[in-house]
Short mmCIF file of all heavy atoms in Angstrom, two decimals:
data_model
loop_
_atom_site.label_atom_id
_atom_site.label_comp_id
_atom_site.label_asym_id
_atom_site.label_seq_id
_atom_site.Cartn_x
_atom_site.Cartn_y
_atom_site.Cartn_z
N GLU A 266 16.83 3.92 -7.50
CA GLU A 266 18.06 3.82 -8.27
C GLU A 266 18.64 5.20 -8.58
O GLU A 266 19.84 5.39 -8.62
CB GLU A 266 17.79 3.07 -9.58
CG GLU A 266 19.02 2.87 -10.45
CD GLU A 266 18.71 2.18 -11.75
OE1 GLU A 266 17.54 1.77 -11.95
OE2 GLU A 266 19.64 2.06 -12.60
N ASP A 267 17.73 6.15 -8.79
CA ASP A 267 18.13 7.51 -9.14
C ASP A 267 18.26 8.41 -7.91
O ASP A 267 18.37 9.62 -8.03
CB ASP A 267 17.10 8.12 -10.11
CG ASP A 267 17.65 9.33 -10.84
OD1 ASP A 267 18.88 9.50 -10.93
OD2 ASP A 267 16.83 10.15 -11.32
N GLY A 268 18.23 7.82 -6.71
CA GLY A 268 18.37 8.62 -5.50
C GLY A 268 19.57 9.54 -5.61
O GLY A 268 20.62 9.17 -6.11
N GLU A 269 19.40 10.77 -5.17
CA GLU A 269 20.44 11.78 -5.36
C GLU A 269 21.78 11.29 -4.84
O GLU A 269 21.93 10.99 -3.65
CB GLU A 269 20.03 13.09 -4.68
CG GLU A 269 18.87 13.75 -5.40
CD GLU A 269 18.29 14.96 -4.70
OE1 GLU A 269 18.55 15.13 -3.48
OE2 GLU A 269 17.57 15.70 -5.33
N GLY A 270 22.74 11.20 -5.72
CA GLY A 270 24.09 10.73 -5.37
C GLY A 270 24.25 9.23 -5.22
O GLY A 270 25.34 8.74 -4.90
N ALA A 271 23.18 8.46 -5.41
CA ALA A 271 23.21 7.04 -5.10
C ALA A 271 24.12 6.24 -6.03
O ALA A 271 24.25 6.52 -7.22
CB ALA A 271 21.80 6.46 -5.17
N THR A 272 24.76 5.22 -5.46
CA THR A 272 25.56 4.26 -6.24
C THR A 272 25.04 2.85 -6.12
O THR A 272 25.46 1.96 -6.86
CB THR A 272 27.04 4.30 -5.82
OG1 THR A 272 27.17 3.76 -4.49
CG2 THR A 272 27.62 5.69 -5.85
N ARG A 273 24.17 2.61 -5.15
CA ARG A 273 23.63 1.26 -4.92
C ARG A 273 22.14 1.33 -4.60
O ARG A 273 21.67 2.23 -3.93
CB ARG A 273 24.35 0.59 -3.71
CG ARG A 273 25.83 0.27 -3.92
CD ARG A 273 26.00 -0.85 -4.94
NE ARG A 273 27.38 -1.32 -5.04
CZ ARG A 273 28.29 -0.79 -5.85
NH1 ARG A 273 27.98 0.27 -6.59
NH2 ARG A 273 29.51 -1.29 -5.93
N ILE A 274 21.40 0.34 -5.09
CA ILE A 274 20.03 0.09 -4.66
C ILE A 274 20.09 -0.93 -3.53
O ILE A 274 20.83 -1.92 -3.65
CB ILE A 274 19.17 -0.49 -5.80
CG1 ILE A 274 19.18 0.43 -7.01
CG2 ILE A 274 17.75 -0.75 -5.33
CD1 ILE A 274 18.56 -0.21 -8.25
N ILE A 275 19.36 -0.71 -2.47
CA ILE A 275 19.36 -1.64 -1.34
C ILE A 275 17.96 -2.20 -1.18
O ILE A 275 16.98 -1.46 -1.01
CB ILE A 275 19.78 -0.93 -0.03
CG1 ILE A 275 21.12 -0.22 -0.22
CG2 ILE A 275 19.86 -1.95 1.13
CD1 ILE A 275 21.50 0.72 0.92
N LYS A 276 17.85 -3.51 -1.27
CA LYS A 276 16.58 -4.21 -1.08
C LYS A 276 16.61 -4.84 0.31
O LYS A 276 17.43 -5.71 0.57
CB LYS A 276 16.40 -5.28 -2.16
CG LYS A 276 15.12 -6.08 -2.04
CD LYS A 276 15.06 -7.15 -3.14
CE LYS A 276 13.80 -7.97 -3.08
NZ LYS A 276 13.75 -9.00 -4.16
N VAL A 277 15.71 -4.41 1.17
CA VAL A 277 15.63 -4.93 2.54
C VAL A 277 14.41 -5.84 2.63
O VAL A 277 13.28 -5.41 2.41
CB VAL A 277 15.53 -3.80 3.58
CG1 VAL A 277 15.43 -4.39 4.99
CG2 VAL A 277 16.72 -2.86 3.47
N VAL A 278 14.65 -7.08 2.96
CA VAL A 278 13.57 -8.06 3.11
C VAL A 278 13.50 -8.52 4.57
O VAL A 278 14.51 -9.03 5.10
CB VAL A 278 13.78 -9.28 2.21
CG1 VAL A 278 12.64 -10.29 2.38
CG2 VAL A 278 13.92 -8.86 0.74
N VAL A 279 12.37 -8.31 5.18
CA VAL A 279 12.14 -8.86 6.51
C VAL A 279 11.11 -9.95 6.37
O VAL A 279 9.99 -9.72 5.86
CB VAL A 279 11.64 -7.78 7.51
CG1 VAL A 279 11.28 -8.43 8.85
CG2 VAL A 279 12.71 -6.72 7.71
N LYS A 280 11.45 -11.19 6.74
CA LYS A 280 10.53 -12.30 6.53
C LYS A 280 10.33 -13.09 7.83
O LYS A 280 11.05 -12.88 8.82
CB LYS A 280 11.04 -13.22 5.44
CG LYS A 280 12.33 -13.96 5.74
CD LYS A 280 12.69 -14.84 4.53
CE LYS A 280 13.87 -15.75 4.84
NZ LYS A 280 14.20 -16.64 3.70
N SER A 281 9.32 -13.94 7.78
CA SER A 281 8.95 -14.80 8.92
C SER A 281 8.63 -13.99 10.17
O SER A 281 9.02 -14.35 11.27
CB SER A 281 10.07 -15.81 9.21
OG SER A 281 10.35 -16.60 8.08
N ALA A 282 7.90 -12.87 9.95
CA ALA A 282 7.44 -12.06 11.08
C ALA A 282 6.05 -12.54 11.51
O ALA A 282 5.32 -13.19 10.74
CB ALA A 282 7.39 -10.61 10.68
N SER A 283 5.66 -12.17 12.71
CA SER A 283 4.35 -12.61 13.23
C SER A 283 3.20 -11.83 12.58
O SER A 283 2.13 -12.39 12.34
CB SER A 283 4.31 -12.43 14.75
OG SER A 283 4.65 -11.10 15.11
N ILE A 284 3.41 -10.54 12.28
CA ILE A 284 2.38 -9.74 11.59
C ILE A 284 3.07 -8.85 10.56
O ILE A 284 4.26 -8.50 10.69
CB ILE A 284 1.59 -8.85 12.60
CG1 ILE A 284 2.50 -7.93 13.39
CG2 ILE A 284 0.73 -9.70 13.53
CD1 ILE A 284 1.74 -6.92 14.26
N SER A 285 2.30 -8.45 9.51
CA SER A 285 2.91 -7.68 8.44
C SER A 285 3.38 -6.31 8.90
O SER A 285 4.39 -5.78 8.41
CB SER A 285 1.93 -7.55 7.27
OG SER A 285 0.76 -6.88 7.66
#
Side-chain angles (χ1 to χ4, degrees):
E266 181 183 356
D267 197 22
E269 291 173 343
T272 67
R273 294 290 188 273
I274 302 170
I275 307 168
K276 178 181 181 180
V277 179
V278 180
V279 174
K280 66 180 188 178
S281 303
S283 54
I284 57 173
S285 61

